[in-house]
Structure formats: structure tokens, C-alpha cells
Amino acid sequence: MGKVSELSMLVDELKKCGETLIGISEELTELFSSTELEKQPIKKSAAKMKEPEPPAKKELTLEEVRAVLADKSRAGFTEQVKELLKKHGADKLSAVDPAEYKALLADAEVIGNAG
């Protein structure tokens, strides 16, 4: 019976990991989604799965915004990133008002995506 209970514990742990990953993916989708219409709920294959608690809305951090802008800059869009910073009232990211972070990320999303 020891192996069965061990397997049962492993299955439970795997379910928790899956729920955590779903929560993370939903939060990332929300973070990088430019409109509410683009969001689509993730379909769950098993009705028995517990619904994960919705992640609390958190403020964006300087580090999160810096990571996105650094990726854009490395992709060859340094000038566009500098223009965005100026548009949001600063010459460097650390001078941008944290209230502007969400709008700044929304503007940064379109860099390199325009066809």
C-alpha cells in the first residue's frame, strides 16, 4: 500500500503544479494583453480540477518593465525604446513615473509587431 499512497501524493503534487502554471500563464496573458477582448479563458479538460484562486492585481515593478524594454532593445529597437521613454516623460527608465509603467508596456508591445 506504500507505493499506492506515494503515487497518490505525487499525483496531488502534480495537480498543484499544473494549477500554479495555469495561474502564471493567465497572469502573463493579462500582463501582455493589449485589450480585454484578446483574453480568452483557458479551457480545463477535467471538471474535477479545483479552480485556482485568481491572482491578486499587483503593480508593475521597475524590474519587470526594464526586462521587457531590454528585450526590445536587444532585438534592435533601441531608438524606439528611447522614444517611448521620452513619450512617457523621461530620458531614462528610472525617471519614469511608476503610474506610467502599464501604459509604457502597452506601447512597448507594439514595437517590432507592426507590419
Side-chain angles (χ1 to χ4, degrees), residues 25-34 39 58-60 64 68 102 105-106 109:
S25 69
E26 288 172 347
E27 191 170 329
L28 286 173
T29 299
E30 182 178 328
L31 180 66
F32 292 107
S33 177
S34 60
K39 289 188 211 171
K58 66 177 188 86
E59 296 296 316
L60 291 171
E64 291 168 327
V68 172
K102 188 172 183 176
L105 278 184
E109 258 185 39

Side-chain angles (χ1 to χ4, degrees), residues 79 81-92 96:
E79 286 304 314
V81 169
K82 287 180 182 178
E83 290 172 17
L84 280 182
L85 292 174
K86 287 180 184 175
K87 176 182 174 184
H88 291 275
D91 289 327
K92 56 184 181 178
V96 173

Side-chain angles (χ1 to χ4, degrees), residues 4-110:
V4 172
S5 63
E6 185 178 341
L7 279 175
S8 177
M9 287 177 22
L10 289 173
V11 167
D12 289 342
E13 197 62 35
L14 185 59
K15 283 181 183 179
K16 287 179 189 175
C17 290
E19 291 168 358
T20 301
L21 286 173
I22 289 170
I24 291 169
S25 69
E26 288 172 347
E27 191 170 329
L28 286 173
T29 299
E30 182 178 328
L31 180 66
F32 292 107
S33 177
S34 60
T35 66
E36 291 294 318
L37 296 175
E38 290 179 353
K39 289 188 211 171
Q40 299 201 1
I42 296 174
K43 295 180 182 177
K44 305 222 190 284
S45 60
K48 297 176 190 174
M49 282 182 70
K50 292 182 211 169
E51 197 64 36
E53 293 182 22
K57 291 252 181 184
K58 66 177 188 86
E59 296 296 316
L60 291 171
T61 65
L62 175 67
E63 291 76 20
E64 291 168 327
V65 177
R66 179 175 284 133
V68 172
L69 295 181
D71 285 343
K72 293 293 184 179
S73 185
R74 280 191 294 271
F77 300 105
T78 303
E79 286 304 314
Q80 290 90 333
V81 169
K82 287 180 182 178
E83 290 172 17
L84 280 182
L85 292 174
K86 287 180 184 175
K87 176 182 174 184
H88 291 275
D91 289 327
K92 56 184 181 178
L93 180 58
S94 60
V96 173
D97 180 359
E100 290 284 315
Y101 288 170
K102 188 172 183 176
L104 178 60
L105 278 184
D107 288 343
E109 258 185 39
V110 300

